[in-house]
Amino acid sequence: MTTLTSPDGPALYAGGRAFAEKDADIFVGRASETEQIVEAWREHRLTVLYGRPGVGKTSVLRAGVFPVLRKRNTHVLPVAELTHRPPFPVAALPERNRFRLAVLASWYTRASPGDVSGLTIANFLRKYRGFDRFGSELPTLGAIDGAEALLRTSGGHERDRREFLDELAVALKHAPGLHLLLVVRDSAYDEVLDLAARLGHARPGMCPLTPMSPETAHEILTVLLHRAGAPAETVAEALVEELRTVRLAGGVQTTSSLEPALLRLVGDRLWEGVPGDAEFSLQRLRADVNRVLTDFCAQSLAIVAADQSLPIRTLSAVFRNRFGGPEGRAGVPEERLREDVPGAVVDALRDLHLIRSRDRGGDRHYVLQHPRLIEPVARLGEGTVPIRRPGPAARLRQAHRALADGDPELARRHAEAATRACGEGDLRVLGEATTFLGDIADEQDDAETATARYREAAAIFEAVPDHSAVGWLLAGIGRMSLENDPDEAVRQLQAAARRLPRELSIKTAMGRALVRSGRRTAAAAVLEEVLGHDGGNREALIAKRALSETG
């Protein structure tokens, strides 16, 4: 027999997260797909990368496509995510289109909040172009991950969504160097084609990403296990076969492909709890894989139950009964599943890569993310599962996603959990989470709570110390005070301007506050100073016009 040893050093898999560009040296097995995406993106003005959840779209883009493009003298912008939330208070900004803010804050990482807020997509592309060493302009490659959010109505943000789509259409029309890549789930295939037509590109480049073949999975495992000093050939072959094997009451089946998310999960956790001198055997491998997958399912269900205020026993029983048998592969009708649990629970289970949707005969069904999960799901117990919560930064990202999905209450709970999880070394995350709680309150027109949260965050950032963050928080408080307490607005904005003396958006807001507080001469001087630096500053021009009209 062969001895199993736990790999030392950094994890060889990205685990539950997507691979990043820094993981390029361990990202293997997707060379042909990477090249297809690179060529399509460079050739077409609009390209769509699509595939089902968990298939590895983000990983291929970041750890596969980007390293290749950087070697080919390409002007490629950082990946934009529509769930991205910049760490500054949105109340401090004159323009707050959440879609534009998420994209430009991702693409334009060195910009100040005021600069990002005042730009349109087309203006950004005109100002920040790329050139080769001979001075010739390069095409600009920009990607938006999670672009499904652009395809559905957005509740209180619908006006922002439509405005942003109009901006994208203008940018594609008037910025001929822009090559845009949209990353979406395969369930949004028809909708993204409609969007492409709206953007003026009815025939975009289409790049499907499918699950891994057994051969690809074997290649990946062989390379990574070899680096870990594990018995590569023996374990890789056995592990691939084990992950393809589906055991049902009626017999054993073998799948033709593997989910990258499943491979990453098992690869990252397989050695946890295994003694260093354990002997390798097929029986032990099966037990260890089941241990990892059962724990993953139980943990995911426990987190969803806690987030959605459901008894864990109830959710576990529903999940086991619905998916712990043939229906886990054949599919549970959406209508039946939503009779058992709220729609928010279904969405959360999908986002955690437990289930995925599949259309059949015009009706939507839900199946397990991979049939190999049927066996561990069938064995789920009804006992209490201790939840291993992610760290504060991960909880804050969950909060961002919840708000982007239109669930401010869940976003608030995640953000509050992030603040509770912060330790002595997490002051910055604590400040960002507290700022985000202020953003949620501001979005719900609760100025009192938003102001209190921003003040808390300012005190935290004073301790970091981060005077820039403090300045933006004071600016947010000042802008929220413009209507009802202009004198307080002046005080807060003056304090913000002392910390950020070059930020024109803060000075413009201060000019507006001075107008409202009756200090017209001071207001005129401030607005003239702003326009002297930026003659096209829209907010300053409007404020100056209002000042002259009331004179």
Side-chain angles (χ1 to χ4, degrees):
M1 289 201 177
T2 305
T3 300
L4 283 176
T5 56
S6 300
D8 296 322
L12 291 175
Y13 305 84
R17 66 171 176 84
F19 283 90
E21 191 170 350
K22 64 183 176 62
D23 302 313
D25 62 330
I26 62 170
F27 184 75
V28 295
R30 291 287 202 180
S32 61
E33 293 93 334
T34 293
E35 192 60 34
Q36 178 193 5
I37 297 165
V38 167
E39 292 305 315
W41 196 1
R42 297 179 73 178
E43 178 183 349
H44 294 87
R45 298 290 314 288
L46 181 63
T47 303
V48 177
L49 170 60
Y50 65 97
R52 66 198 199 194
V55 80
K57 300 182 293 295
T58 299
S59 294
V60 168
L61 180 61
R62 292 179 182 270
V65 172
F66 266 59
V68 170
L69 287 172
R70 295 201 191 282
K71 294 176 182 177
R72 298 186 184 180
N73 193 30
T74 305
H75 180 48
V76 57
L77 302 170
V79 178
E81 296 186 48
L82 292 178
T83 57
H84 175 67
R85 193 82 179 193
F88 45 76
V90 294
L93 306 178
E95 301 286 344
R96 305 187 195 178
N97 185 302
R98 54 164 291 203
F99 297 97
R100 184 198 308 127
L101 184 61
V103 169
L104 289 185
S106 300
W107 283 354
Y108 190 15
T109 55
R110 297 189 304 274
S112 75
D115 290 339
V116 169
S117 173
L119 284 175
T120 64
I121 300 295
N123 286 340
F124 164 78
L125 293 169
R126 280 194 291 268
K127 290 181 67 174
Y128 301 97
R129 295 174 291 172
F131 299 89
D132 64 19
R133 59 193 181 95
F134 301 108
S136 299
E137 185 174 351
L138 294 168
T140 297
L141 275 62
I144 300 178
D145 200 357
E148 300 89 0
L150 297 175
L151 307 176
R152 59 177 184 262
T153 55
S154 186
H157 302 110
E158 181 60 14
R159 179 179 176 181
D160 285 356
R161 185 183 77 93
R162 292 180 178 275
E163 181 183 279
F164 180 72
L165 289 177
D166 290 341
E167 277 194 27
L168 276 184
V170 169
L172 283 166
K173 182 177 181 180
H174 296 291
L178 173 62
H179 290 237
L180 183 64
L181 174 70
L182 300 179
V183 184
V184 299
R185 293 171 175 161
D186 58 354
S187 58
Y189 184 89
D190 292 336
E191 290 87 347
V192 80
L193 289 180
D194 292 339
L195 174 60
R198 175 175 177 174
L199 295 177
H201 292 268
R203 301 185 67 180
M206 302 298 290
C207 296
L209 192 65
T210 58
M212 291 177 177
S213 67
E215 293 75 21
T216 297
H218 186 274
E219 174 192 353
I220 293 170
L221 285 171
T222 299
V223 171
L224 298 180
L225 289 168
H226 178 73
R227 292 183 183 181
E233 285 294 336
T234 304
V235 176
E237 182 177 356
L239 184 53
V240 168
E241 288 306 306
E242 178 57 38
L243 291 175
R244 295 175 61 203
T245 302
V246 181
R247 299 174 181 89
L248 300 169
V252 177
Q253 301 175 3
T254 303
T255 64
S256 60
S257 62
L258 277 170
E259 293 286 343
L262 191 70
L263 190 66
R264 290 199 304 271
L265 172 71
V266 173
D268 204 37
R269 299 185 185 177
L270 186 61
W271 285 275
E272 292 179 0
V274 178
D277 58 352
E279 296 292 330
F280 170 74
S281 68
L282 293 178
Q283 184 177 4
R284 178 168 193 109
L285 183 66
R286 176 183 175 185
D288 287 337
V289 168
N290 277 332
R291 168 181 57 81
V292 170
L293 296 182
T294 301
D295 182 70
F296 163 68
C297 294
Q299 286 290 321
S300 299
L301 290 172
I303 289 173
V304 172
D307 288 344
Q308 301 294 332
S309 301
L310 285 175
I312 179 58
R313 290 176 179 269
T314 300
L315 183 57
S316 293
V318 168
F319 198 77
R320 183 177 61 250
N321 293 336
R322 289 298 187 198
F323 294 101
E327 278 189 312
R329 186 169 193 178
V332 180
E334 180 179 37
E335 182 178 347
R336 188 188 308 168
L337 185 58
R338 291 182 185 266
E339 288 175 356
D340 294 332
V341 293
V345 172
V346 176
D347 294 339
L349 295 173
R350 181 198 61 204
D351 290 340
L352 286 172
H353 295 166
L354 272 177
I355 61 175
R356 58 184 174 86
S357 63
R358 185 171 68 185
D359 289 336
R360 192 172 68 194
D363 296 323
R364 175 169 293 182
H365 290 64
Y366 284 94
V367 298
L368 285 173
Q369 181 71 27
H370 192 277
R372 180 59 181 83
L373 293 175
I374 292 175
E375 185 176 358
V377 167
R379 296 181 175 185
L380 282 173
E382 296 185 357
T384 301
V385 178
I387 304 176
R388 293 198 300 270
R389 288 287 191 180
R395 290 307 298 269
L396 183 55
R397 288 193 296 271
Q398 289 177 328
H400 294 168
R401 183 180 184 88
L403 189 62
D405 288 342
D407 193 340
E409 177 57 27
L410 180 58
R412 182 187 61 78
R413 294 205 302 270
H414 278 313
E416 288 178 344
T419 64
R420 292 192 297 270
C422 287
E424 292 183 3
D426 300 316
L427 266 185
R428 182 169 295 280
V429 177
L430 178 61
E432 291 177 359
T434 306
T435 299
F436 183 63
L437 286 166
D439 289 345
I440 295 172
D442 176 62
E443 189 167 301
Q444 296 178 318
D445 296 323
D446 184 355
E448 182 178 353
T449 299
T451 298
R453 291 295 195 179
Y454 286 164
R455 290 187 190 279
E456 290 177 37
I460 294 167
F461 280 115
E462 287 281 19
V464 168
D466 186 337
H467 300 304
S468 174
V470 174
W472 284 112
L473 286 157
L474 296 176
I477 296 170
R479 279 191 179 271
M480 287 191 297
S481 304
L482 274 172
E483 298 293 332
N484 299 321
D485 193 347
D487 289 330
E488 173 65 9
V490 170
R491 286 191 292 272
Q492 296 296 330
L493 289 162
Q494 285 176 334
R498 285 194 292 271
R499 289 169 170 81
L500 297 164
R502 297 182 180 179
E503 287 296 339
L504 298 183
S505 66
I506 293 176
K507 291 183 178 180
T508 304
M510 184 165 59
R512 291 178 57 198
L514 289 167
V515 171
R516 288 185 171 275
S517 65
R519 287 172 267 186
R520 300 173 55 81
T521 302
V526 170
L527 294 173
E528 285 296 338
E529 179 187 355
V530 171
L531 292 170
H533 289 283
D534 179 10
N537 188 298
R538 182 171 175 268
E539 187 183 18
L541 288 171
I542 293 173
K544 183 180 179 182
R545 187 181 308 120
L547 180 63
S548 63
E549 289 174 352
T550 58

